[in-house]
């Protein structure tokens, strides 16, 4: 069983003090110490005020002020994202700084309440949200320091540039988003991929490492002052479940056999491309999976698609033939939701949204949905092209807006997702319905509806490369981070690769040691951004999709379900979304599954992909190993290389060239041959 959390008042933190005349005096002194010095290690940090009237008055004032602050910050963020100038960037930073000050002041007020004993459950929930989140418990200098460190780590990541492959005296101006990601997706050159993988990791990790060490210290200090064991414990609090890690582990265990079937098939195709550099029973090098982090394998689809003669589902050409415009794409997306009986987009949406890329200014083109926190203004920013990919993106972003519209009448704190990752889950569940032959046929974009076996397996392979291949990576990022917070900063890089080998079957393509600090090459590590929510979103999107399909009366395989025009599905979805964050997510999941479960569950995703899993098992019958064998080479190679290169580095070497490595490689080869 998961451990039960013990709730303690501030006064309970003073239990080691000498006897005092009354409990009231003891609590008063304890609270004074906390306000002066910012230190307590109780669970949770609370004050003495149990007056419901005071609490409700504070929450009303907070809601009004926080909504205005949220609107100001969002406007500044929008202005910068839609007109990238230095002035707009500085204005955004100024507003975000002001918001941090407001949140600190609100936190100081919230912790004066004995909020766990406030009789009103909604007020208790709001107070807990204010009191247990963020790092306001730090002193001013440390509070400013941790957010400065995070900003500096993000800046290193965002501004990182690397040199082109084999280009002498060329400009070193290749960026991740515009250049490196495309190369990793398209190149078939093993050495070129290796170069960019290594260059990107080298550009981030060593520069971030020392800042990250200090960040861990400060994050842990803030968490302990707030009554948590460490910063990982505080991050997990967002998921409101003592058994959350156990639930995640159970899902990974359930998914792993299917993942290993997919992995084995993909490895066989990569061996066909790259030859004996890949062991036919071993893990895969991290740089050849179509992605700089080996997190999403979609770019391998052409290499691994089961039936090459069967066409990939793509209606882009038909959209162009029908002269469909970006505006029409947004109208098509809106009509999907109104066909379910859900809300149309408000007038402000059509007035202020950016649907096409402006020609008169620089804009951040990543599609995004915006809630301006005033219950009126909702927008999408998207540089829309007439492609099927952007048609799906339009539905995806509009699903976020539907969530905003459904929960807009709650207080600000409850105008949020039920659990981190649920916003993404809702949008992706809608995507599972829209990205089907059945739906595209109904809206007139696909003339020939083919339900043949070949196209179904191809489709499921594409979806598995997007979703299932991503799950182990989505799982390990925060497993690694939580372990750093709880166990310390020793062997951070070694543990990163241990987790990647254990759950993904991925190994570094070149020797790594602690100086590399490879985890920082993922933005969410450097940016102090939670990652477990992406794991949650994958699981919940299939649970939600299955429930909506069942209530809509769908029969047949789950991956062929289209929710279009199902009022029953629309009613259930509206009921789920309208609660926002006002109730524990377990209640929402129980309602979503109509009483089947109140937990994350892998059953729906396994059902969706069952036809592909059966096919993969047949394809892998002749493979020597399903999954990967972690032999002595794989277990020991990181430590072996770490020691050698650390010593070599300490002896004065600063750069590693292949010609330098030749004598060393001979020694290593002899070592492995003699195993």
């Amino acid at each position: 069983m998961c451990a039960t959390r013990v709730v303690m008042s501030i006064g309970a933190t003073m239990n080691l003090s000498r006897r005092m005349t009354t409990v009231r005096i003891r609590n008063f002194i304890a609270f004074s110490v906390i306000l002066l010095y910012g230190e307590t290690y109780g669970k949770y940090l609370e004050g003495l005020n149990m007056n419901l009237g005071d609490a409700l008055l504070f929450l009303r004032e907070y809601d009004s002020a926080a909504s205005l602050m949220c609107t100001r910050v969002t406007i500044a963020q929008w202005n910068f994202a839609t007109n990238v100038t230095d002035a707009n960037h500085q204005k955004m930073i100024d507003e975000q700084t002001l918001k941090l000050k407001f949140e600190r002041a609100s936190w100081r007020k919230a912790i004066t309440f004995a909020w766990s004993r406030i009789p009103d459950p909604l007020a208790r929930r709001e107070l807990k949200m204010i009191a247990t989140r963020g790092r306001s418990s730090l002193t001013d200098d440390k509070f400013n320091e941790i957010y400065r460190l995070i900003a500096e780590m993000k800046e290193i990541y965002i501004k990182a540039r690397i040199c082109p492959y084999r280009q002498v005296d060329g400009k070193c101006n290749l960026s991740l988003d515009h250049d490196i990601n495309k190369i990793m997706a398209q190149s078939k050159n093993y050495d070129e991929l290796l170069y960019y993988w290594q260059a990107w990791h080298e550009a981030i990790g060593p520069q971030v490492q020392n800042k990250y060490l200090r960040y861990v210290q400060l994050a842990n200090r803030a968490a302990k002052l707030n009554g948590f064991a460490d910063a990982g414990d505080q991050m997990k609090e967002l998921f409101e479940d003592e058994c959350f890690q156990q639930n995640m582990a159970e899902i990974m265990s359930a998914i792993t056999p299917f993942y290993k079937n997919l992995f084995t098939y993909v490895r066989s195709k990569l061996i066909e491309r790259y030859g004996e550099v890949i062991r036919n029973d071993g893990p895969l090098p991290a740089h050849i999976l179509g992605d700089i982090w080996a997190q999403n394998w979609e770019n391998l689809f052409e290499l691994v698609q089961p039936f090459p003669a069967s066409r990939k589902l793509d209606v882009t050409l038909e959209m162009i033939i029908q002269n469909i415009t970006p505006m029409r794409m947004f109208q098509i997306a809106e009509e999907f939701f109104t066909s379910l009986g859900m809300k149309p987009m408000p007038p402000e949406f059509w007035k202020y949204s950016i649907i096409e890329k402006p020609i008169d200014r620089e804009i951040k083109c990543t599609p995004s949905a915006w809630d301006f926190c005033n219950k009126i203004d909702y927008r999408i920013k998207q540089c829309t092209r007439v492609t099927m990919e952007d048609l799906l993106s339009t539905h995806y972003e509009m699903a976020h807006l539907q969530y905003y519209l459904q929960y807009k009448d709650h207080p600000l704190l409850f105008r949020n997702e039920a659990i981190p990752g649920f916003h993404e889950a809702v949008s992706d569940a809608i995507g599972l319905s829209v990205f089907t032959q059945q739906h595209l046929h109904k809206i007139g974009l696909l003339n020939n509806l083919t339900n043949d076996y070949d196209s179904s397996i191809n489709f499921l392979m594409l979806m598995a490369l997007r979703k299932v291949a991503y799950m182990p990576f989505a799982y390990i990022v925060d497993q690694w981070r939580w372990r750093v917070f709880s166990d310390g900063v020793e062997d951070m890089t070694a543990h990163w690769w241990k987790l990647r080998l254990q759950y993904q079957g991925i190994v570094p393509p070149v020797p790594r040691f602690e100086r590399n600090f490879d985890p920082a090459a993922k933005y969410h590590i450097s940016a102090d951004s939670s990652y477990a929510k992406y794991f949650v979103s994958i699981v919940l999107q299939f649970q939600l999709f299955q429930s909506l399909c069942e209530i809509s009366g769908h029969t047949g395989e789950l991956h062929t379900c289209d929710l279009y025009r199902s009022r029953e599905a629309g009613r259930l979805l509206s009921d789920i979304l309208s609660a926002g964050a006002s109730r524990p997510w377990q209640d929402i999941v129980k309602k979503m599954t109509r009483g089947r479960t109140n937990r994350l569950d892998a059953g729906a995703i396994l059902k969706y992909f069952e036809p592909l899993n059966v096919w993969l098992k047949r394809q892998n019958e002749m493979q020597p190993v399903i999954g990967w064998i972690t032999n002595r080479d794989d277990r020991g190679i990181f430590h072996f290389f770490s020691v050698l290169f650390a010593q070599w580095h300490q002896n004065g070497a600063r750069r590693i060239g292949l010609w330098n490595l030749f004598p060393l490689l001979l020694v290593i080869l002899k070592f492995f041959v003699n195993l």
Side-chain angles (χ1 to χ4, degrees):
M1 294 180 62
C2 298
T4 302
R5 195 181 289 281
V6 179
V7 179
M8 305 177 74
S9 70
I10 289 178
T13 66
M14 302 294 292
N15 284 341
L16 296 179
S17 63
R18 296 179 180 272
R19 290 183 181 180
M20 298 182 180
T21 55
T22 65
V23 172
R24 186 176 185 84
I25 293 174
R26 182 187 63 190
N27 286 347
F28 175 77
I29 293 173
F31 181 59
S32 299
V33 169
I34 289 163
L35 288 181
L36 287 172
Y37 301 107
E39 293 194 11
T40 182
Y41 295 90
K43 186 61 121 173
Y44 295 99
L45 183 58
E46 297 185 47
L48 308 173
N49 190 347
M50 294 177 58
N51 187 290
L52 179 59
D54 290 349
L56 293 175
L57 177 61
F58 163 68
L59 288 172
R60 281 196 299 271
E61 292 173 348
Y62 171 85
D63 188 67
S64 176
S67 295
L68 290 173
M69 181 62 63
C70 180
T71 300
R72 287 181 57 171
V73 172
T74 307
I75 289 172
Q77 290 172 331
W78 172 271
N79 289 340
F80 175 63
T82 59
N83 186 12
V84 180
T85 66
D86 291 340
N88 283 343
H89 184 250
Q90 186 58 50
K91 177 65 173 175
M92 180 181 71
I93 292 174
D94 292 343
E95 294 292 348
Q96 289 171 334
T97 303
L98 195 62
K99 183 184 178 185
L100 283 175
K101 292 180 180 179
F102 169 78
E103 288 174 348
R104 291 199 82 191
S106 301
W107 174 85
R108 291 183 184 277
K109 179 65 175 177
I111 63 167
T112 65
F113 292 97
W115 51 262
S116 69
R117 291 175 286 165
I118 294 290
D120 184 287
L122 293 178
R124 189 164 63 240
R125 186 169 176 81
E126 286 186 90
L127 286 168
K128 181 183 178 183
M129 288 178 174
I130 301 171
T132 61
R133 297 178 183 178
R135 289 158 181 145
S136 297
S137 56
L138 290 171
T139 56
D140 288 347
D141 58 335
K142 290 182 173 58
F143 181 84
N144 293 332
E145 183 183 1
I146 191 170
Y147 284 103
R148 185 178 69 250
L149 283 170
I150 293 167
E152 288 170 355
M153 290 190 292
K154 288 166 68 174
E155 186 173 14
I156 289 170
Y157 191 99
I158 292 167
K159 292 186 175 181
R161 299 293 184 269
I162 63 176
C163 304
Y165 177 60
R166 285 186 176 175
Q167 182 173 327
V168 180
D169 298 327
K171 291 184 178 180
C172 295
N173 60 355
L174 299 187
S175 68
L176 180 67
D177 289 339
H178 294 105
D179 307 295
I180 303 167
N181 282 338
K182 290 180 182 177
I183 295 167
M184 298 302 293
Q186 297 170 4
S187 175
K188 298 177 176 61
N189 184 318
Y190 187 94
D191 292 333
E192 181 183 24
L193 292 170
L194 176 58
Y195 167 80
Y196 283 110
W197 186 94
Q198 196 169 2
W200 174 252
H201 284 73
E202 188 66 21
I204 307 297
Q207 285 69 36
V208 165
Q209 186 178 33
N210 286 337
K211 296 179 186 296
Y212 197 82
L213 295 175
R214 177 59 176 160
Y215 153 83
V216 170
Q217 289 180 338
L218 293 171
N220 270 343
R221 179 172 178 80
K224 290 175 181 177
L225 291 174
N226 252 14
F228 295 96
D230 54 61
D233 188 34
Q234 186 176 17
M235 290 176 72
K236 284 176 276 188
E237 182 72 23
L238 295 172
F239 296 95
E240 297 184 289
D241 183 3
E242 285 292 336
C243 298
F244 179 65
Q245 268 190 286
Q246 178 181 316
N247 196 181
M248 290 178 70
E250 290 168 354
I251 290 165
M252 271 309 305
S253 180
I255 292 293
T256 295
F258 176 37
Y259 174 78
K260 286 187 174 180
N261 281 328
L262 178 66
F263 174 97
T264 303
Y265 174 76
V266 169
R267 179 179 58 202
S268 69
K269 295 298 180 180
L270 289 170
I271 289 173
E272 290 179 10
R273 170 179 285 182
Y274 295 112
E276 294 181 358
V277 69
I278 300 170
R279 213 173 74 220
N280 68 356
D281 63 354
L284 291 168
H287 67 300
I288 60 170
L289 290 159
D291 175 274
I292 195 73
W293 310 281
Q295 69 176 43
N296 182 317
W297 302 356
E298 180 180 354
N299 293 314
L300 298 181
F301 178 72
E302 290 186 6
L303 173 69
V304 305
Q305 69 172 314
F307 300 100
S310 183
R311 284 192 310 164
K312 183 179 178 182
L313 183 58
D314 190 346
V315 296
T316 299
L317 181 59
E318 184 63 27
M319 292 170 66
I320 295 171
I321 290 172
Q322 293 188 24
N323 198 30
I324 288 177
T325 63
M327 177 61 75
R328 178 61 188 142
M329 291 162 65
F330 275 74
Q331 292 168 344
I332 290 170
E334 181 188 44
E335 201 271 328
F336 175 87
F337 291 102
T338 57
S339 82
L340 303 180
M342 301 182 77
K343 297 182 179 185
M345 293 295 103
E348 290 78 10
F349 170 82
W350 299 107
K351 183 176 181 180
Y352 297 118
S353 289
I354 290 184
I355 293 175
E356 296 186 69
K357 184 177 182 180
I359 59 174
D360 60 339
R361 61 188 187 272
E362 183 183 351
I363 180 174
K364 292 182 177 290
C365 275
T366 304
S368 51
W370 297 68
D371 176 358
F372 284 78
C373 314
N374 56 15
K375 305 185 181 184
I376 297 171
D377 197 348
Y378 304 92
R379 310 178 194 175
I380 287 176
K381 171 186 64 67
Q382 180 171 287
C383 304
T384 313
R385 304 157 301 164
V386 181
T387 65
M388 187 182 72
E389 179 184 353
D390 279 15
L391 179 64
L392 296 175
S393 175
T394 305
H395 285 78
Y396 179 92
E397 300 303 335
M398 201 169 284
H400 284 300
L401 261 61
Q402 278 294 330
Y403 206 165
Y404 298 152
L405 290 168
Q406 293 292 335
Y407 62 49
K408 72 182 182 67
D409 294 326
H410 285 291
L412 180 67
L413 286 168
F414 294 158
R415 297 204 296 271
N416 208 337
E417 55 194 345
I419 178 176
F422 202 54
H423 250 297
E424 299 294 324
V426 171
S427 293
D428 281 334
I430 297 303
L432 293 175
S433 175
V434 174
F435 188 42
T436 60
Q437 289 192 45
Q438 290 73 15
H439 180 71
L440 296 171
H441 178 70
K442 286 178 188 175
I443 63 174
L445 292 178
L446 188 67
N447 296 324
N448 299 320
L449 186 60
T450 58
N451 289 318
D452 63 281
Y453 180 75
D454 292 8
S455 60
S456 289
I457 296 300
N458 271 1
F459 172 78
L460 287 172
M461 176 62 74
L462 176 63
M463 298 300 282
L465 295 173
R466 289 179 179 174
K467 311 280 187 179
V468 180
Y470 178 50
M471 289 188 72
F473 184 84
Y475 177 73
I476 68 167
V477 172
D478 275 349
Q479 296 297 321
W480 173 85
R481 178 166 23 204
W482 296 338
R483 186 243 186 207
V484 169
F485 285 135
S486 65
D487 295 351
V489 296
E490 296 296 323
D491 302 321
M492 291 192 296
T493 306
H495 188 66
W496 172 256
W497 287 110
K498 179 182 177 182
L499 287 172
R500 299 203 69 180
L501 175 61
Q502 179 181 351
Y503 291 102
Q504 282 188 286
I506 302 295
V507 292
V510 290
R512 315 306 287 160
F513 46 97
E514 287 305 310
R515 186 193 72 82
N516 295 115
F517 191 43
D518 291 328
K522 182 63 181 172
Y523 176 77
H524 297 71
I525 297 294
S526 298
D528 180 49
S529 180
S530 172
Y531 211 79
K533 62 185 178 181
Y534 298 110
F535 183 86
V536 170
S537 75
I538 295 176
V539 179
L540 277 180
Q541 69 184 259
F542 287 94
Q543 285 184 264
L544 175 59
F545 184 60
Q546 181 182 34
S547 294
L548 294 175
C549 289
E550 287 173 352
I551 203 169
S552 73
H554 171 73
T555 58
E557 292 176 329
L558 185 56
H559 72 275
T560 65
C561 170
D562 176 23
L563 303 170
Y564 187 53
R565 295 176 181 162
S566 172
R567 294 299 175 116
E568 294 80 7
R571 277 192 291 272
L572 177 59
L573 186 56
S574 296
D575 287 346
I576 293 166
L577 303 186
S578 61
S582 65
R583 292 157 55 192
W585 66 268
Q586 293 89 340
D587 294 350
I588 306 298
V589 171
K590 188 170 184 178
K591 186 178 188 67
M592 178 182 85
T593 60
R594 293 179 293 164
R596 186 184 302 135
T597 183
N598 68 346
R599 306 181 75 220
L600 303 178
D601 184 83
I605 192 170
L606 292 174
K607 181 176 180 180
Y608 184 95
F609 287 106
E610 179 57 23
L612 176 64
N613 198 23
V614 171
W615 184 86
L616 286 169
K617 287 178 181 178
R618 288 202 301 267
Q619 299 303 306
N620 292 335
E621 285 176 353
M622 302 303 293
Q623 293 297 319
V625 171
I626 304 301
W628 56 94
I629 293 176
T630 305
N631 63 21
R632 185 172 173 181
D633 294 10
D634 302 317
R635 289 196 305 269
I637 193 167
F638 180 90
H639 179 70
F640 181 70
F641 278 118
S642 295
V643 173
L644 282 176
F645 279 91
Q647 291 174 349
W648 191 53
H649 184 76
Q650 290 169 2
N651 289 334
R654 290 295 181 268
R655 288 188 174 273
I656 300 174
L658 287 177
W659 64 272
N660 299 105
L661 292 179
F662 185 74
L664 180 61
L665 290 174
L666 289 177
V667 174
I668 294 168
L669 180 61
K670 182 177 180 181
F671 173 82
F672 285 143
V673 167
N674 292 330
L675 288 178

